[in-house]
Amino acid sequence: MTVRKPLIVGIGGTTRPGSSSECALQCALRTVEAGGGETRLLGGEFLSHLPIFNPANADQTDEQKLLADTVRQADGVIVASPGYHGSISGVIKNALDTLEVLRTDERPYLTDRAVGCIITADGWQAAGTTLTTLRSIIHALRGWPTPFGAALNSTSPLFDATGACNEAKDAWQLTTVGEQVLDFAKMKART
């Protein structure tokens, strides 16, 4: 009997290639892969081409369909956002708003999925308020935020040239988020 690997989808980044939030997301996804999960990244480049969600428009673009179909298949999700003025970025909010198209699914929105939250922000206050905002949105989408959410202070460089964390405490946070999402997906699969 072949057991399917849990699929964990990463949504995050900014319009800037190599952003700290996308690097953080990639670190967490590597943890998922090392633990036996399959991953898919919908990063900043993808998100920057995602049209603004309009609930009055029944027609979906190819990008909106790809986002919806990928999340529909997911056993877990990790969302990484920069902290912009104490909240999540517009591209992340737009991606999460686009999940409204899942409202009539058998598993609406993010139902039955653990969602890891990662924030990178230029200071601790912005990191904290942004993490709280993201957790509230995940709850509204019926997702289960993991017990631990990563908040990284980007006032100093977070990653080296290879994409590895410069600080052990940041690596621990991202590893913890990846492990918790994967562990939950595995537990859910056994029920």
Side-chain angles (χ1 to χ4, degrees):
M1 180 171 111
T2 304
V3 176
R4 183 181 69 81
K5 292 181 175 185
L7 172 62
I8 309 302
V9 174
I11 300 171
T14 70
T15 58
R16 183 177 54 81
S19 70
S20 59
S21 55
E22 189 165 333
C23 287
L25 178 57
Q26 290 170 333
C27 285
L29 292 176
R30 284 194 294 271
T31 296
V32 169
E33 290 169 355
E38 179 185 345
T39 65
R40 290 203 191 120
L41 172 65
L42 298 174
E45 183 177 349
F46 171 80
L47 298 173
S48 67
H49 296 292
L50 190 64
I52 298 294
F53 178 68
N54 178 356
N57 187 354
D59 296 326
Q60 297 172 29
T61 67
D62 289 342
E63 293 84 5
Q64 290 169 321
K65 289 176 187 174
L66 176 61
L67 173 64
D69 288 342
T70 303
V71 171
R72 189 176 277 127
Q73 297 169 32
D75 299 298
V77 178
I78 302 174
V79 180
S81 178
Y84 286 172
H85 306 111
S87 189
I88 64 173
S89 70
V91 295
I92 300 301
K93 181 67 166 87
N94 183 51
L96 295 173
D97 287 346
T98 301
L99 298 182
E100 178 64 20
V101 302
L102 303 177
R103 73 185 169 279
T104 59
D105 280 15
E106 185 177 321
R107 285 190 316 166
Y109 306 112
L110 296 171
T111 298
D112 293 335
R113 284 164 274 215
V115 182
C117 299
I118 299 171
I119 304 300
T120 59
D122 194 16
W124 291 116
Q125 181 175 350
T129 59
T130 304
L131 182 57
T132 300
T133 298
L134 183 55
R135 285 176 173 271
S136 295
I137 293 168
I138 299 309
H139 276 289
L141 289 168
R142 302 181 194 174
W144 298 352
T146 56
F148 186 81
L152 283 64
N153 186 338
S154 61
T155 53
S156 58
L158 296 171
F159 304 96
D160 65 21
T162 68
C165 292
N166 287 326
E167 299 285 336
K169 64 180 175 47
D170 295 334
W172 178 87
Q173 288 190 71
L174 299 173
T175 297
T176 300
V177 169
E179 287 174 344
Q180 287 184 353
V181 172
L182 181 61
D183 288 348
F184 181 86
K186 288 178 177 178
M187 285 187 288
K188 186 70 180 155
R190 288 193 291 262
T191 61

